[in-house]
Amino acid sequence: MLTLPNILTLSRIVAVPLLVFFLWWPEWRAGYALGFATYCLMGITDYFDGYLARSRGTVSKLGIFLDPIADKIMVAAVILILCAKGIIADLHMIAALIILVREIAVSGLREFLGGIQVSVPVSALAKWKTALQLMSLGGLVLAGAVPGWPWVHDVSLAMLWGAAVLTLVTGWDYLRVGLKHMDS
């Protein structure tokens, strides 16, 4: 159960409070730099936990269960702290809310469908959504470390909106598939 891939996944969950600590003070540029480094390290472990589990043939039920939870905890924590500290503000909070609502709704849908033994594979578009979402959030964290480069913040917000649009599209795709399996 405590294979290297599962330890990497668990490390992402354990690192979330540290990441939030670094981002707590928006004026602490070094904190945002450390937060960006932590965020990137968490992303690297996300890649390697899956890669190692598949390449070593050690894919486990615990890993399948924990990996998406670790991802959602990280994304939700970053979105919430960036909104709370005003890095994501005003109308841009709508894009953040769209992403959060979709994450929760799709998790619930997957849990429901899993209960009736229906699998919904991750689409290629959903992978692009995730990549754009993670890059935008990483860019917003980085923007706190480099306030002299306002374009980092602006580009990251634009990517956040792109991720929100893809979130709506992929969320609708999952819902459409899920509705076929629900009783009327």
Side-chain angles (χ1 to χ4, degrees):
M1 197 148 75
L2 282 182
T3 61
L4 180 58
N6 288 346
I7 290 169
L8 290 174
T9 300
L10 287 169
S11 75
R12 285 203 322 276
I13 294 170
V14 171
V16 168
L18 180 64
L19 177 60
V20 169
F21 172 79
F22 289 141
L23 303 181
W24 193 258
W25 299 275
E27 63 281 349
W28 185 33
R29 292 181 189 160
Y32 272 71
L34 290 168
F36 180 70
T38 303
Y39 183 85
C40 290
L41 185 59
M42 292 168 81
I44 291 167
T45 63
D46 185 25
Y47 171 78
F48 277 109
D49 66 9
Y51 172 79
L52 290 172
R54 287 186 300 276
S55 69
R56 293 180 174 186
T58 58
V59 174
S60 69
K61 289 181 182 178
L62 179 64
I64 291 169
F65 170 73
L66 283 180
D67 187 64
I69 290 172
D71 295 344
K72 286 170 183 24
I73 290 171
M74 181 181 82
V75 166
V78 170
I79 286 175
L80 291 174
I81 194 72
L82 292 178
C83 285
K85 297 303 171 180
I87 307 296
I88 299 174
D90 303 324
L91 288 176
H92 302 295
M93 292 175 78
I94 294 170
L97 183 62
I98 289 169
I99 291 168
L100 283 177
V101 168
R102 186 260 191 202
E103 294 296 335
I104 294 166
V106 169
S107 293
L109 179 63
R110 284 184 181 277
E111 183 176 335
F112 169 77
L113 293 174
I116 59 172
Q117 299 185 347
V118 173
S119 175
V120 182
V122 176
S123 69
L125 191 58
K127 289 182 180 187
W128 280 101
K129 182 271 313 173
T130 299
L132 192 58
Q133 172 182 294
L134 293 177
M135 288 188 302
S136 70
L137 294 176
L140 289 167
V141 171
L142 178 62
V146 291
W149 298 352
W151 62 270
V152 173
H153 185 261
D154 296 341
V155 168
S156 299
L157 286 176
M159 289 192 305
L160 186 71
W161 278 102
V165 169
L166 292 180
T167 291
L168 289 172
V169 172
T170 59
W172 172 249
D173 287 344
Y174 285 129
L175 182 60
R176 200 177 66 234
V177 169
L179 288 174
K180 293 178 184 175
H181 298 285
M182 293 183 187
D183 294 332
S184 44

